[in-house]
Amino acid sequence: MHMAAAPTQRKPTFFWQGLLILLPVLVLAVVGLISLRQDERSAEADAHTRAAENLQSLAIAMRDSVDGELQRFLTLQNVWMIGLRLASQPSVSGEFPDVKLKADIEKWERDYPKYKFTDLAVPNAEILTNGEAIDPPDFPAAPTPPKWFLEFSSLQKNSWENLRAAKTQKEIESRRQIFLDGKPSGEAQQAAFNLFRPPEEMAGHSNFQFTESGITFEEIACYQLLSATNAQLTTDLLQSIWWRVIDQPSFLSPKLLQLAQTLTNRAGANLRQKFFWTQQFWNRQSQVREWIAPLRKISDSTNHWNLASSFSRWAGDSSNAPLAFFEPTTFVNMSNNSNGNPFEGKGYAIKFVPREVVETIFEKALSENKFLIPKFAGAIVFAEGKPLCRTDKANLSPESFQLKTSPPIASILPQTKTGVNFGITFYLVSREQMLASEHRRAKLFGVLILGSALSALIGFVAAWRAFRRQQQLGELKSNFVSSVSHELRAPIASVRLMAENLEHGKISGTQKQNEYFRFIVQECRRLSSLIENVLDFSRIEQDRKQYEFEPTDVIALMQTTAKLMEPYAAEKGVHLKCELPVPVQNQILELNLDGRAIQQALVNLIDNAIKHSPKDETVTMGIEIKNAKLKIKNDDSANTAASLNSQLSTLNLFVSDHGPGIPRAEHGKIFERFYRLGSELRRETQGVGIGLSVVKHIVDAHGGKILVQSEIGQGSRFTIELPGKN
């Protein structure tokens, strides 16, 4: 018959418990992080959408503001230049500027205090789609013979040369008639009469007829009058200069102005003012001639002419090039070009606004509507492809701005009513600020997730420690049951064996019987002590242990305990000695305590000391009084009563031995329940591991402390410190 082996019990593990604690939090953290990332992307997309909406509103607001300010400048500039053109003519009288124009200019300069309007204003320009300039009039760098001269026959040319060589009035008259008989053109006939007219007669008349060299007769007359020894600047002479310089300029125009300027110091105030304005107008026209040079080549002027469509372009690539506004126009009956052909057909009237004025107008519009710019974004404004202004001027100029380093958020390309194609781009300045609210929310959820994870980790560690502690307690309880069984089985077996021997009369002799009786009593005492410790430990564990405090003679308690433990010490071959202080050896030292509990604590300490002491060694128990003065209660009695002074006094009850000692690292553990020093397999001393834990509980209940002093090989000393205050 085979007996079945008992099934092996699997040792419990903490894996599944830990997994159930950490896995939900881990899943929650991962899902939360993914959700926060998706929320951040969604918040970023929403920010871009809101920025695009704000950009649309900003474009509309800026377009209206820019349109108004550009139109204001262009209108004021046109009025000023028309007035300046008229006022610069000596033959025109009147106040310039008038009161209204002056007030409008002053108001504009108050709005734009950085600029002086009269230094900025320039006249409009007019060009045909083929690039020919109508106004300001263009002129070649070198004069060319007029048409009437180029059409001369050989005979007419010889007659003209003879006429030019005439010296006397009679020669002039006869040779002029010969020339006229050759039937030249009407312009050639008029030239024959103008050829010998005095310069004074030519001044003050708008005579645009050209000589055979390509220079007008009036220009030659003006030059002669200005170069004369007794030259004087007159109204007629200045008027002729004005016509020649403003309406029909040539390469001689700068020279005529230079000669006229040398005569202004001898002219009247009115003529000086007229000359100043004429020179100003000439300078503005010269500036416009430079600006329209590159504009003649733009494709829009030839390929996309539309009477209802205005547009704008920069007049060159330089940083100070103005913005030119093109208004499609059809020209009829305009002046003639250098070949005598009239300027007619499709073309453009061009108005100019200086670059700095355009920038200031856009900056002002941007500043007035900056509330539409998100706090996390910056804005840069372009006009006709060139950057004009931006919100953060501190770092980079618009020309060096690169959207590569600042990612664009949204862009728009509106057009003003004046024909300016401008663009606004929002670029990211601070991603943190854009996602500030989302980051605050993410931080909150992050703290919650971190808190949950930390709580789960703390719970995991606490559960793991509890699990380990439970395992240890299980092992300790198993050892405790085993130890208690062993501790009970040995004395019970001895008592039963000795009782059976006595019962059956196997023990004869009174001395031997008395020895058996003494052993039986001793074993019963051991059983009682063990059972009492177990019962007290059970009460302590259930928090049902109660103490009865009453005045107790500590000296008598120590002496009684020593007598109680002497037989056990003698059995183990150990000497038990009780030491009392000399002042109280014959006194009654009372203290308010539970005498039975303190005695149990002392018994446990003495029992441990005896068990761990080699034979013939001494276990010492005694009393020490620290920082106290004795108070005598009754001087008449033989045994005088004394008590401790309550000021800074302690009563120490100690038990010391000369055993193997306790390692310093184990001093704190020996008072734990079920804890026993050393390995269970190699341990030789008896015990169940609850004695010292009972001692600690008793001492704590009395408001005292249990101290241990021990080193390996130097024995041990346990001290119960009890407060002396009653």
Side-chain angles (χ1 to χ4, degrees), residues 391-432:
T391 51
D392 53 338
K393 302 177 184 177
N395 298 329
L396 297 173
S397 63
E399 287 76 5
S400 62
F401 179 76
Q402 295 291 333
L403 288 176
K404 294 179 181 178
T405 56
S406 300
I409 300 173
S411 298
I412 193 171
L413 296 170
Q415 185 182 48
T416 67
K417 295 178 182 178
T418 51
V420 181
N421 292 308
F422 73 97
I424 310 173
T425 298
F426 282 170
Y427 57 90
L428 187 62
V429 173
S430 172
R431 193 170 187 274
E432 290 296 323

Side-chain angles (χ1 to χ4, degrees), residues 247-321:
D247 284 348
Q248 196 70 31
S250 70
F251 76 99
L252 274 180
S253 296
K255 185 62 177 179
L256 294 178
L257 287 172
Q258 182 182 358
L259 292 173
Q261 188 175 14
T262 61
L263 303 178
T264 54
N265 57 344
R266 290 180 290 176
N270 183 58
L271 281 182
R272 286 200 300 270
Q273 183 65 56
K274 293 290 185 178
F275 176 79
F276 173 77
W277 284 335
T278 300
Q279 191 173 43
Q280 289 293 309
F281 201 88
W282 163 260
N283 292 338
R284 299 291 187 271
Q285 279 189 326
S286 300
Q287 180 67 72
V288 170
R289 286 189 184 93
E290 293 180 10
W291 287 343
I292 64 174
L295 298 177
R296 295 177 179 185
K297 303 175 183 179
I298 60 175
S299 59
D300 285 7
S301 65
T302 57
N303 299 333
H304 302 289
W305 187 91
N306 185 345
L307 193 60
S309 177
S310 300
F311 61 93
S312 63
R313 293 290 184 273
W314 292 104
D317 296 327
S318 63
S319 59
N320 60 348

Side-chain angles (χ1 to χ4, degrees), residues 127-178:
I127 63 172
L128 295 175
T129 55
N130 62 7
E132 286 188 290
I134 300 174
D135 191 26
D138 203 358
F139 58 90
T144 57
K147 184 178 180 182
W148 62 264
F149 181 77
L150 296 175
E151 292 176 348
F152 276 171
S153 64
S154 298
L155 183 61
Q156 290 172 335
K157 193 170 184 180
N158 289 332
S159 299
W160 177 261
E161 294 295 337
N162 290 333
L163 176 61
R164 284 187 60 86
K167 301 295 184 181
T168 65
Q169 185 64 31
K170 185 176 179 180
E171 288 178 348
I172 293 173
E173 293 293 339
S174 63
R175 293 181 184 184
R176 181 186 291 152
Q177 188 60 44
I178 294 172

Side-chain angles (χ1 to χ4, degrees), residues 71 74 77-78 123-125 323-327 349-353:
Q71 195 61 50
L74 290 172
Q77 176 177 253
N78 190 50
N124 297 338
L323 188 62
F325 295 85
F326 288 73
E327 294 182 1
I350 306 176
K351 302 175 182 179
F352 297 94
V353 179

Side-chain angles (χ1 to χ4, degrees), residues 21-32:
I21 293 173
L22 295 180
L23 184 61
V25 178
L26 180 62
V27 172
L28 175 63
V30 172
V31 171

Side-chain angles (χ1 to χ4, degrees), residues 341-361:
N341 299 320
F343 292 112
E344 290 185 342
K346 297 177 180 179
Y348 296 95
I350 306 176
K351 302 175 182 179
F352 297 94
V353 179
R355 168 73 177 260
E356 58 266 33
V357 174
V358 176
E359 289 180 354
T360 304
I361 288 174

